[in-house]
Amino acid sequence: MTVRAAVAGASGYAGGELLRLLLAHPHIEIGALTGHSNAGQALGGLQPHLAPLAGRILEPTTADVLAGHDVVFLALPHGQSAAVAEQLGPDVLVVDMGADFRLQNAADWDRYYGSEHAGTWPYGLPELPGARAALEGSKRIAVPGCYPTAVSLALFPAYADGLAEPDAVIVAASGTSGAGKALKPHLLGAEVMGNMTPYGVGGGHRHTPEMIQNLSAVAGARVGVSFTPTLAPMPRGILATCSAYAKTGVTPEAVRAAYEKAYADEPFVRLLPEGQWPATAAVYGSNAVQIQVAYDAEANRIIAISAIDNLTKGTAGGAVQSMNLALGLPEDTGLSTIGVAP
Amino acid sequence: MTVRAAVAGASGYAGGELLRLLLAHPHIEIGALTGHSNAGQALGGLQPHLAPLAGRILEPTTADVLAGHDVVFLALPHGQSAAVAEQLGPDVLVVDMGADFRLQNAADWDRYYGSEHAGTWPYGLPELPGARAALEGSKRIAVPGCYPTAVSLALFPAYADGLAEPDAVIVAASGTSGAGKALKPHLLGAEVMGNMTPYGVGGGHRHTPEMIQNLSAVAGARVGVSFTPTLAPMPRGILATCSAYAKTGVTPEAVRAAYEKAYADEPFVRLLPEGQWPATAAVYGSNAVQIQVAYDAEANRIIAISAIDNLTKGTAGGAVQSMNLALGLPEDTGLSTIGVAP
Amino acid sequence: MTVRAAVAGASGYAGGELLRLLLAHPHIEIGALTGHSNAGQALGGLQPHLAPLAGRILEPTTADVLAGHDVVFLALPHGQSAAVAEQLGPDVLVVDMGADFRLQNAADWDRYYGSEHAGTWPYGLPELPGARAALEGSKRIAVPGCYPTAVSLALFPAYADGLAEPDAVIVAASGTSGAGKALKPHLLGAEVMGNMTPYGVGGGHRHTPEMIQNLSAVAGARVGVSFTPTLAPMPRGILATCSAYAKTGVTPEAVRAAYEKAYADEPFVRLLPEGQWPATAAVYGSNAVQIQVAYDAEANRIIAISAIDNLTKGTAGGAVQSMNLALGLPEDTGLSTIGVAP
Amino acid sequence: MTVRAAVAGASGYAGGELLRLLLAHPHIEIGALTGHSNAGQALGGLQPHLAPLAGRILEPTTADVLAGHDVVFLALPHGQSAAVAEQLGPDVLVVDMGADFRLQNAADWDRYYGSEHAGTWPYGLPELPGARAALEGSKRIAVPGCYPTAVSLALFPAYADGLAEPDAVIVAASGTSGAGKALKPHLLGAEVMGNMTPYGVGGGHRHTPEMIQNLSAVAGARVGVSFTPTLAPMPRGILATCSAYAKTGVTPEAVRAAYEKAYADEPFVRLLPEGQWPATAAVYGSNAVQIQVAYDAEANRIIAISAIDNLTKGTAGGAVQSMNLALGLPEDTGLSTIGVAP
């Protein structure tokens, strides 16, 4: 089986990571690569780590260029995916790595993005209850945000088993590739090295409604989220520290059991042995998720912590995993749980 | 006025930072410097950044060596300070940079350190209500832990004004110098670069009871703390993200006013303009504290974030600040609020 | 074809990287894993990035444990490989990742290592003239040092074509994993971040005679080397800046042609397009080598610069590449030229 | 004595570092601060580490704004300083931190900058033979480039004593603040962390003629330079590895003696004890220079290595040091040799 894939937005970090993974995928043939301001340039100067594609020239992002592929990945600024997808027709598998089709609630979209809601596509986080069924055979996939991936996987088992009160406090640290290749002063190397700083504090981050959506669906009731993202001095990785009050009568054993049950058969999620805590370095460049959970009896809180690579499981790896499901391939085809460390 | 100071434990990170500050202090004459396994070695090889002291030889940490100074700083492993202090007599100003005399409650000490409680000394965080009075003229000072410094300053104004419920959730990131010069595999450069990882999760960190002590004193009732420290890939700095439910009727204006009142006259604490958030790089090498606070109406939480340099305001700078008070010097003598950035 | 491989020294950085690659190798079955002080421990706590091997228990490094494998990799302190290899017998492929069998000249060994010379095995740098023939079908392989790999590949084409005077000046920067997991103060994260510092200056580094050996063999006359290694604040990577006087009459075109000829058919070496320079980030985690060369007419020097990942092409990837040749497999089996960036 | 100083270009890295130092200078009163695109903004958002200046508003860079100060520092793009200086008049001390007045040879300027040569001002590297006399009482100062500072100090003693052949090979690593706050993709944090890469290879870097000028003046004959700069994953610091063939008959003792003589009375340069090598972390944020030198008998090369902070001694600290001389103040007023480490 050979699947021909195009990537719109191949010069950015998400597009580059996707190509890194697609190059290792046994069933993918890489077709058109497009860019915006970089159209006409060779990929070798833009993504020098992708040696096999060094000679490829970026084309403009048009329906003509993207036509004729089995799969089209969209790594575009939000708001642009709907128009492109429409032109590609219903038979092409379109995987949107942007935000456009993640939210179910148009009011949420309006509040956080301020434009018209494009719709909702099957949500590409297969580990969530019910998600696989919607992805299998689908022609449309909305790839989750990187923070919602880390946070939803850390917390959903506690909500699935009714162990946590519906009010989560989340502080997450992300490597700076999460902000993309945008040329902003605060993303310069001299600014980020040696620096930890928060942003989007107080519910302002656009990934907040996505977390609420995922956790509420599992809990069967609205779960509120206090989310504080921070920028960490590293290229990649998210460490999400999540906690919530435990419901009355919760025991450490019940908490452990909920997570063991949720992740017993998941190919990419590893619930660590008790006493070992997640580390972003351990999942560097891999599609793996490390999770640990503890019950703090004194504070009466369940504390769940996850580590992912924001570009792999958090973006491009998650996209490939869901693509595999949509294409009927084994879910882990072309993906690895082995990190590049140290 | 010339004050002769000795430093016990001069080869570690806390001792080195203290010497960096004392070298810039106009009233300090640096006397004996002691070490343990490094006794007999020149400081130039151990602390190559302290050029003016390069030829100084470390002496063993004995009462004889430390005698005859006006001030003795102790940067020793916990459990060792009481014996040394006793031998120095009541007229010498002893500044303990370790944990021995921070806690008021012997049971807390026993639980977290497992040895006999040495006692309680005036607590060297002058910004806390009532703290200055206890430090002025004192001959004994217990320098706070680095995390409790960052956390207490971030949260106490909310408790002082009765705005927050007595249950705080804290996630803090620290540079690796916070772990000291201990030779442990997880502190190797190849392990920490590119890595974020938590430790001491679930209430296990020894700084937890110190935070509870500080916040409870201000609140007038027990404040519980859920504290998760994380190790960040940077040499210095703490970013503490702290939050608590707001009490009924709290407004953003009331929150802002509480912090403005608390820090209007503090020489080292800067409540940032609204919209600007603390950054550890901005306080690198300085005694400054950056603080910002927000009220998240949707989550009904007060979110207070602070940035300090763990070695300066978090350890050695805090020690010098309290020493100044004890000696009757202007509190900011020899200290700076200017960070080394970028 | 299934090849059963054992790894002696599986808890270190070289051993960990080797296992990362062997896990992706289609013909390798991972057999015994041994350690020294870590024997009896599970690999999951020592190499948390190697998820599929988390449950494996390290065995002691004995001939009994290593017997019965087709390939045995030795990642041991120097001086220990000869005894182990002898016990394994002549039919087992033994790949020594240490220094013991790299040098041809016993006097060099004696001078730099101060012990008895164990002998010389086929040298595992297939790109060097004549190297492949010696590796094909061999039962013994000496894996090169990381610096000699980067330096020899940067410079040998200039010497092979008689373009450079026999006196090279080399300054190389290495990530700190190159120093291994040794618990030394100068390797602590707080010391290496933000720091560049040289070591082994003035010919003292043990990799110097290996560079001289490789370049002299190509040049057909002794090539002297002035080698200065520096420690850079990154986990992985070597950037080697190498230069030598050009011989009379050398032209930029001749220099370019020599490198194009040398690397036209090499699967892992990429001579970059003119104007683009090597970057360690571009080869992160890959077996690729990036090379660029220029002729500085004013200084009359050929300047050749290479970037490798010290743990992959510089150690474990080079070992697998040579193993493939020894086993008669395609040389690039299980290896990649795609870096993990950003 | 109070000196009123203006800073043109206060929002960049050079301007920010200068302000950090001027704030600690006992005789300086900080006057007008100007910017270009940032004019009208408060400094607090642009340089958040300069707490005492947070409320200062940047003014446009005009002669009117800069008039009425005793000293005017220019941290402007090259080509702009001459016009500003002319308008300020001959009685104002003008310290140009750009390149405009460093080179003596108009042809060099033309070749490397491609515009008209503005002239030559007294060169602000007091440690060079004869430099102090030209700076004392001067009303114009050309602050050296950061690389020429590190390289000239590392090598000039060897040339002053006639020990080295006139052909130097230099490889230097710089922190990314050396490239300024320019918004270029290769300076993004995600690109520079974990990455070492060269640039301006083959004599192309604009600092090359400045090095040649300095070393040639000392040697009394033209010294050629092969200079390769590299970008290192750290915010600050330059490590310059410099070497040259030793002249016939040179001994290690003669080399050591030359450096001891050159730096015996220099307040900011420290020739390290034999066996200890420079480290950029040891001079972080300080005006100190660490130097070590060795004679490699086998390669017959003198290897001299220096470490500076590119923003302090390499730019703003050097500027203040020269200003002190020009104003008749003790040369080390307001400057420190103590680094911020770890």
Side-chain angles (χ1 to χ4, degrees), chain A residues 145-220:
Chain A
C146 51
Y147 286 123
T149 296
V151 168
S152 302
L153 296 177
L155 277 179
F156 97 76
Y159 286 108
D161 272 26
L163 303 173
E165 295 287 348
D167 237 347
V169 177
I170 295 151
V171 180
S174 173
T176 63
S177 65
K181 267 192 190 171
L183 295 177
K184 298 177 184 165
H186 77 284
L187 297 177
L188 288 174
E191 303 288 327
V192 300
M193 290 184 282
N195 200 15
M196 290 282 308
T197 187
Y199 62 104
V201 184
H205 196 282
R206 285 169 165 170
H207 286 176
T208 307
E210 197 179 335
M211 298 175 194
I212 293 172
Q213 173 177 293
N214 293 349
L215 297 176
S216 299
V218 173

Side-chain angles (χ1 to χ4, degrees), chain D residues 128-308:
Chain D
L128 284 185
R132 275 194 182 87
L135 292 166
E136 285 163 1
S138 174
K139 289 296 186 185
R140 293 291 184 270
I141 297 169
V143 178
C146 51
Y147 286 123
T149 295
V151 168
S152 303
L153 295 177
L155 277 180
F156 96 77
Y159 285 109
D161 272 25
L163 303 174
E165 295 288 349
D167 239 347
V169 177
I170 296 150
V171 179
S174 175
T176 63
S177 65
K181 266 191 191 171
L183 294 178
K184 298 176 183 166
H186 77 284
L187 297 178
L188 287 174
E191 304 287 328
V192 300
M193 288 184 284
N195 199 14
M196 290 281 309
T197 187
Y199 63 102
V201 185
H205 196 282
R206 285 169 165 169
H207 285 176
T208 307
E210 197 179 336
M211 298 175 194
I212 293 173
Q213 173 177 293
N214 292 349
L215 298 177
S216 300
V218 173
R222 189 175 198 283
V223 174
V225 159
S226 164
F227 174 53
T228 306
T230 65
L231 206 59
M234 56 192 190
R236 293 170 170 239
I238 288 179
L239 185 80
T241 302
C242 315
S243 69
Y245 282 118
K247 291 210 168 174
T248 310
V250 162
T251 63
E253 292 73 24
V255 172
R256 185 83 196 169
Y259 281 75
E260 283 177 345
K261 182 180 62 177
Y263 292 127
D265 299 318
E266 284 299 339
F268 294 110
V269 186
R270 182 158 177 251
L271 178 64
L272 294 172
E274 293 184 61
Q276 184 177 351
W277 288 90
T280 62
V283 297
Y284 206 92
S286 94
N287 206 50
V289 183
Q290 286 195 337
I291 289 188
Q292 184 57 286
V293 65
Y295 171 61
D296 178 349
E298 191 156 333
N300 189 35
R301 292 186 82 86
I302 296 168
I303 304 170
I305 302 182
S306 63
I308 64 168

Side-chain angles (χ1 to χ4, degrees), chain B residues 13 176-177 180-194 232-235, chain C residues 13 176-177 180-194 232-235:
Chain B
Y13 289 147
T176 64
S177 64
K181 267 192 190 170
L183 295 177
K184 298 177 183 166
H186 77 284
L187 296 177
L188 287 174
E191 304 288 328
V192 299
M193 289 184 283
M234 56 190 191
Chain C
Y13 289 147
T176 63
S177 64
K181 266 191 190 170
L183 295 177
K184 297 176 183 168
H186 77 284
L187 297 177
L188 287 175
E191 304 287 328
V192 300
M193 289 184 283
M234 56 191 190

Side-chain angles (χ1 to χ4, degrees), chain A residues 86-142:
Chain A
E86 209 160 293
Q87 292 179 284
L88 293 172
D91 294 337
V92 176
L93 171 54
V94 182
V95 183
D96 186 22
M97 300 167 77
D100 294 25
F101 298 96
R102 293 172 188 161
L103 296 181
Q104 293 163 2
N105 187 324
D108 282 345
W109 178 269
D110 179 58
R111 174 174 164 202
Y112 281 89
Y113 294 88
S115 58
E116 204 184 349
H117 189 219
T120 311
W121 287 356
Y123 190 73
L125 194 53
E127 293 85 356
L128 284 185
R132 273 194 184 87
L135 293 166
E136 285 162 2
S138 174
K139 291 295 185 184
R140 294 292 184 269
I141 297 169

